[in-house]
Amino acid sequence: MYRHFRMILMLAMFVFAASAFAEVQCDVTYNSKAYSDAQYNFCWLSGSVCYQCYDVQTADSCSSEYTPCNPYPRRFDKNVVATLFPEEKPASPCVAAAFEQKQAQLRIDNLL
Amino acid sequence: VTLHSLRCLAGALLTTGAIACAVAPAAPEVTREPASIIDRVIPIDLATDVRWDDDAHVIVTDRRRGPARVAVADADAQPEWWNDWPAATEPGSHYMHLAISPVYAVAADTAFGLRWREQRPNAAVAQDIFEYIADVDARNDQLLITGLRRNAGGVLGADESTAWIGTLRGQELTLRPLLPFRQMRAIENCAGFGLAAVRFLPNGGFVIAPGAEPGVYVYDAHQRLQRTWDTKALGVEVDCNLTREQSALLATDVDARQAWLNRRRIIDDVIAVGDVPYLVVRAHDGAATRWELIELRGERHTIHPLPFVSTSSSAHVSADARGGRIAFLVHDRAAGREGAAATRLVILPWPPH
């Protein structure tokens, strides 16, 4: 009885711990730099390697140079680096590349 | 003891202009500040920019919702939102800069995109891409814009320019370079800091203040440079030659960026009163944020401390002049975060009586 209870408790703890880790996706733009203000963040301009990372479930995101950043605490809204307008017109080749990468990932996600 | 310092001392005792006098460069005349006629909170939480619409209304942009028409004198009137302008969603679609002419309305994000529309019913909203937009202005169908641009091949700053003029007719921008940058890296380092401003003058000329690089440039209606003002002589600090580490920190840490700005006297905006350009200069003294107008008339400049302050260390001002009055939008860049100050609209008669 106690052994069963311990197994159930461990399983519950595992499920709880697994649910705390969100799926984080990062887009990389080369020769670009990170920018943030109180409302949004993105990669732009030149001079570095910029990572745009976001929680796939919530679309919470942050951008950071050199190292992918922790997407917590919660930011404001969906923030995808290469989506510019409803027509999704890319601003530059590097942003376009990130955009294509993201679109491909989304297609894979949809297929799965 | 100079006449200037006596005037400053008197101003400090009587007004809110103490800090402006304390840091002002030598020789300028400091005038008595004007009386405020309107200073009220407006219900636009994420306000970014302001332009007069007519004698009784201004247009104010909320960075997420878009432009709204606000009655200047009627405190009970609600903003009338321009519903045909789509709400912001992602970078490139926020409403950070506004320009209004009788023919066109223009709104731009700091990065990636700007929109414009003819000022007639059912006109379509056109849009184009632009890497970094520091400020815009419009006169009839002309657009004045400053920032950094990619060429068709994606190369940033290929035309070595940081300001352009062009037409808003059509669905794509046609722009002509006006002002070359000295160092693109300096412009990039301070991109998104809100240091630059451009404004048309009623005579068709215009003013460009790059912000990230020294100088204020005044052009005539034929787009010929008429005069360059030395920002150092105006008491405005320009130092965007940052280290790589500083640049990375200030671009991504909102609080560090604001603290950096608060240690400097910066240009918040440029306006035109008649054909005379005025800089709206911001300074933070640790307790309050204050502004002054620097009038650039002929060969001399005159400093006018403004009679309003903000206790918020992240308050900034956008402004516009019309018919003997100046509208100041006092907005908090920390809006949306806890403790941010409410948006205020201040209307002053100008010149002061």
Side-chain angles (χ1 to χ4, degrees), chain B:
Chain B
V1 178
T2 65
L3 178 61
H4 170 68
S5 61
L6 284 172
R7 282 176 172 165
C8 282
L9 181 59
L13 291 171
L14 296 171
T15 76
T16 56
I19 187 66
C21 287
V23 297
E29 178 185 351
V30 178
T31 63
R32 187 174 62 85
E33 65 290 329
S36 172
I37 60 166
I38 296 171
D39 184 347
R40 68 181 180 88
V41 170
I42 59 171
I44 296 183
D45 295 336
L46 302 178
T48 52
D49 208 350
V50 65
R51 289 290 194 278
W52 283 99
D53 188 35
D54 56 32
D55 288 340
H57 299 85
V58 291
I59 305 296
V60 175
T61 38
D62 177 285
R63 66 179 289 172
R64 287 186 172 277
R65 292 190 65 176
R69 191 165 186 257
V70 177
V72 165
D74 184 356
D76 296 326
Q78 290 299 303
E80 303 166 23
W81 295 96
W82 287 7
N83 292 323
D84 52 337
W85 292 68
T89 49
E90 58 280 311
S93 65
H94 286 234
Y95 295 86
M96 301 300 289
H97 308 289
L98 174 68
I100 301 282
S101 83
V103 191
Y104 281 94
V106 183
D109 198 345
T110 303
F112 303 142
L114 73 160
R115 298 176 165 126
W116 65 97
R117 192 200 64 181
E118 277 189 72
Q119 296 264 51
R120 60 177 174 79
N122 304 318
V125 177
Q127 55 197 26
D128 207 341
I129 52 174
F130 210 102
E131 182 75 9
Y132 161 45
I133 301 161
D135 198 18
V136 294
D137 197 29
R139 179 179 183 271
N140 299 324
D141 65 351
Q142 284 186 301
L143 174 71
L144 183 61
I145 185 166
T146 183
L148 283 174
R149 195 182 183 200
R150 290 189 192 275
N151 67 7
V155 179
L156 187 66
D159 61 3
E160 300 185 342
S161 184
T162 187
W164 302 262
I165 194 167
T167 178
L168 291 162
R169 290 189 192 136
Q171 295 298 304
E172 287 191 8
L173 293 175
T174 305
L175 298 172
R176 190 175 82 79
L178 284 171
L179 181 68
F181 52 69
R182 300 181 189 189
Q183 285 188 306
M184 188 172 76
R185 180 58 62 195
I187 307 276
E188 289 188 84
N189 283 340
C190 286
F193 288 25
L195 297 173
V198 292
R199 193 62 61 104
F200 278 108
L201 305 173
N203 65 13
F206 48 86
V207 185
I208 301 170
E213 293 196 306
V216 175
Y217 302 87
V218 182
Y219 290 74
D220 67 13
H222 303 289
Q223 303 172 16
R224 290 183 300 228
L225 182 62
Q226 293 297 298
R227 184 181 168 90
T228 302
W229 291 87
D230 178 4
T231 33
K232 193 173 181 181
L234 299 174
V236 173
E237 294 173 52
V238 177
D239 56 350
C240 287
N241 291 311
L242 309 175
T243 66
R244 192 179 183 86
E245 290 73 22
Q246 285 176 314
S247 178
L249 174 69
L250 296 178
T252 53
D253 187 323
V254 179
D255 296 326
R257 183 162 66 238
Q258 191 62 56
W260 186 90
L261 291 169
N262 286 345
R263 289 195 294 271
R264 289 157 176 82
R265 278 167 49 86
I266 62 168
I267 296 171
D268 255 359
D269 209 348
V270 174
I271 58 171
V273 180
D275 289 324
V276 179
Y278 285 68
L279 310 180
V280 184
V281 174
R282 175 192 190 274
H284 181 75
D285 64 5
T289 305
R290 305 170 195 277
W291 292 268
E292 61 192 26
L293 290 176
I294 301 184
E295 178 183 352
L296 305 179
R297 184 187 294 271
E299 297 297 313
R300 60 199 284 261
H301 69 276
T302 306
I303 295 178
H304 307 270
L306 289 169
F308 57 87
V309 302
S310 174
T311 54
S312 169
S313 62
S314 47
H316 289 260
V317 153
S318 301
D320 195 29
R322 177 190 172 104
R325 290 189 297 172
I326 302 175
F328 296 93
L329 181 75
V330 185
H331 52 96
D332 196 327
R333 286 192 187 165
R337 300 168 73 188
E338 194 173 342
T343 303
R344 287 160 57 197
L345 180 65
V346 180
I347 308 292
L348 297 184
W350 202 269
H353 302 298

Side-chain angles (χ1 to χ4, degrees), chain A residues 41-98:
Chain A
N41 51 78
F42 46 82
C43 301
W44 69 344
L45 302 174
S46 68
S48 190
V49 178
C50 182
Y51 291 81
Q52 177 85 12
C53 304
Y54 47 92
D55 182 324
V56 172
Q57 275 77 41
T58 65
D60 286 350
S61 69
C62 57
S63 59
S64 173
E65 289 176 327
Y66 305 118
T67 54
C69 55
N70 186 330
Y72 302 99
R74 184 181 175 84
R75 297 286 177 122
F76 283 83
D77 68 353
K78 185 178 179 181
N79 189 359
V80 179
V81 61
T83 303
L84 307 177
F85 287 120
E87 296 90 280
E88 298 172 335
K89 194 175 178 182
S92 66
C94 61
V95 175

